[in-house]
Amino acid sequence: MTHILVTGGAGFIGSHACTALRDAGYTPVLFDNLSNGHKDGMEDFILIEGNTRDAAALDDAFSRFDISAVMHFAAFIEAGESVKDPLTFYDNNVGGTVSLLQAMKKHGVRDMVFSSTAAVYGEPAGTEPLVESLPKAPINPYGQSKLAAEHILQDCAAAYGLRAIALRYFNAAGSHPAGHIGERHDPETHLIPLVIQAAIGMRSDIKIFGTDYPTRDGSCIRDYIHVCDLAEAHVCALEYLRKLDGPAGTGFFDAFNLGTKTGYSVREVIDAVRAVSGASFTVTEAERRAGDPSTLVADPTRAQSILGWQAFRSDLATIAADAWAYLAPYYQSKMAEKAGAGHR
Ligand SMILES: NC(=O)c1ccc[n+]([C@@H]2O[C@H](COP(=O)([O-])OP(=O)(O)OC[C@H]3O[C@@H](n4cnc5c(N)ncnc54)[C@H](O)[C@@H]3O)[C@@H](O)[C@H]2O)c1
Ligand SMILES: O=c1ccn([C@@H]2O[C@H](COP(=O)(O)OP(=O)(O)O[C@H]3O[C@H](CO)[C@H](O)[C@H](O)[C@H]3O)[C@@H](O)[C@H]2O)c(=O)[nH]1
């Protein structure tokens, strides 16, 4: 059995990666402090409740299992919060990465796949699909923390022979078609879940943040990537690292964009959820949200040609249908719980 330590494995993307790892014949060992993760849906997996900032807990995990490689998802993710409380973000996202790398070094584990983000590019000027070599200029502490972690990986590759791949996701969305896991951020800030909340009446409306962008319909354009496609990319990256040859101790670092090269506007996303839900709901045109670039679309050519990865489920209709199938009943049960609590 090849054990892979998956930090943040009880979170949205990590839980899907664990499922993909298992489907590919690996044994994921989840390491998650459940600050934002969920045990349910992951009952069949090994779960260690621990914090990446806790060296002793990491040491224990690496001692108990013969870990071959690490996938590192654990982080705080909300860009707006990172502006209000940067130290908490740097502590968790950078500090957690450092303590994890120290544990890997101590235990002789040299392969890591790291969750990075399109936020490392900040607010790119043009609308062309983004290639990895563009300048990195994050505009908030969240993006800075991810870029700092990439630099740390690069330094550890040069100094200690770490072999690491950073995957820069664009907009993760959708849920597993089996229906047992999905996107459960609390509070939720991402567009597709919020549109679904509007469609089932959990919120009064969905706001379009900005209608005067220089795009085809005035709303922002993003590259939505199905979480199962993201999960597959992690398996491709892991297998790429495991096949690297070269003298023992030779390090490796590379970063890859994960997206589809196709952008959808906020209005198009709202239409896709309306179509899948059959619901009518209120759409409100609102002010721009601070720090939102007009257009963010990935050029994923390098991930395709070098890692051998392809996105299969990332057309907007499939993403919306899979998100709806999981989230509509999930949110309905939350609403029922709240109503029940109100009556007690
Ligand atoms: N969701 C997106 O659109 C998106 C886009 C780009 C990059 N990312 C990155 O992908 C990764 C996963 O994002 P997600 O959407 O699944 O978020 P998530 O919040 O659902 O998952 C993160 C998981 O990490 C755990 N965690 C956080 N800090 C921890 C710590 N110190 N020790 C142990 N566990 C800890 C949480 O409990 C949670 O289960 C993050 O690193 C995020 O920055 C996400
Ligand atoms: O109620 C809402 C919520 C969002 N939006 C808009 O919808 C688009 C997508 O917004 P999300 O909040 O869903 O996602 P972001 O593009 O802001 O950010 C996501 O993708 C980024 C990479 O592209 C980062 O990784 C970040 O962490 C991750 O949340 C943006 O134009 C946003 O302004 C609305 O109009 N109304």
Side-chain angles (χ1 to χ4, degrees), residues 77 117-119 142 169-171 189-192 194 206-209 220 222 224 266 289 292 296:
I77 69 164
T117 168
Y142 166 69
Y169 323 149
F170 282 60
N171 289 60
T189 60
H190 293 101
L191 177 63
I192 293 176
L194 293 181
I206 182 70
K207 294 189 172 43
I208 302 178
F209 293 148
C220 286
R222 294 289 180 274
Y224 295 87
V266 174
R289 188 173 68 176
D292 270 340
L296 275 182

Side-chain angles (χ1 to χ4, degrees), residues 7-22:
T7 75
F12 171 42
I13 305 171
S15 58
H16 288 78
C18 287
T19 305
L21 277 170
R22 191 174 56 188

Side-chain angles (χ1 to χ4, degrees), residues 116-122 124 130 142 167-171 257 296:
S116 190
T117 168
V120 299
Y121 298 112
L130 305 182
Y142 166 69
L167 297 176
R168 296 179 185 149
Y169 323 149
F170 282 60
N171 289 60
N257 288 340
L296 275 182

Side-chain angles (χ1 to χ4, degrees), residues 228-299:
C228 290
D229 285 333
L230 282 185
E232 282 302 324
H234 288 73
V235 177
C236 294
L238 174 69
E239 297 191 335
Y240 182 85
L241 289 174
R242 286 164 61 81
K243 281 188 202 134
L244 283 174
D245 47 19
T250 307
F252 176 86
F253 175 81
D254 205 346
F256 297 90
N257 288 340
L258 295 181
T260 65
K261 214 173 184 175
T262 303
Y264 294 103
S265 72
V266 174
R267 291 185 198 279
E268 287 162 350
V269 169
I270 292 171
D271 288 345
V273 173
R274 191 182 285 113
V276 78
S277 66
S280 57
F281 49 89
T282 306
V283 177
T284 308
E285 297 191 355
E287 292 301 303
R288 289 184 178 198
R289 188 173 68 176
D292 270 340
S294 159
T295 299
L296 275 182
V297 176
D299 183 335

Side-chain angles (χ1 to χ4, degrees), residues 11-13 32-33 35-37 51-52 73 92 142 146 169 185:
F12 171 42
I13 305 171
D32 198 303
N33 64 1
S35 54
N36 290 308
N51 193 319
T52 52
F73 296 91
N92 203 41
Y142 166 69
K146 290 286 172 174
Y169 323 149
H185 296 126

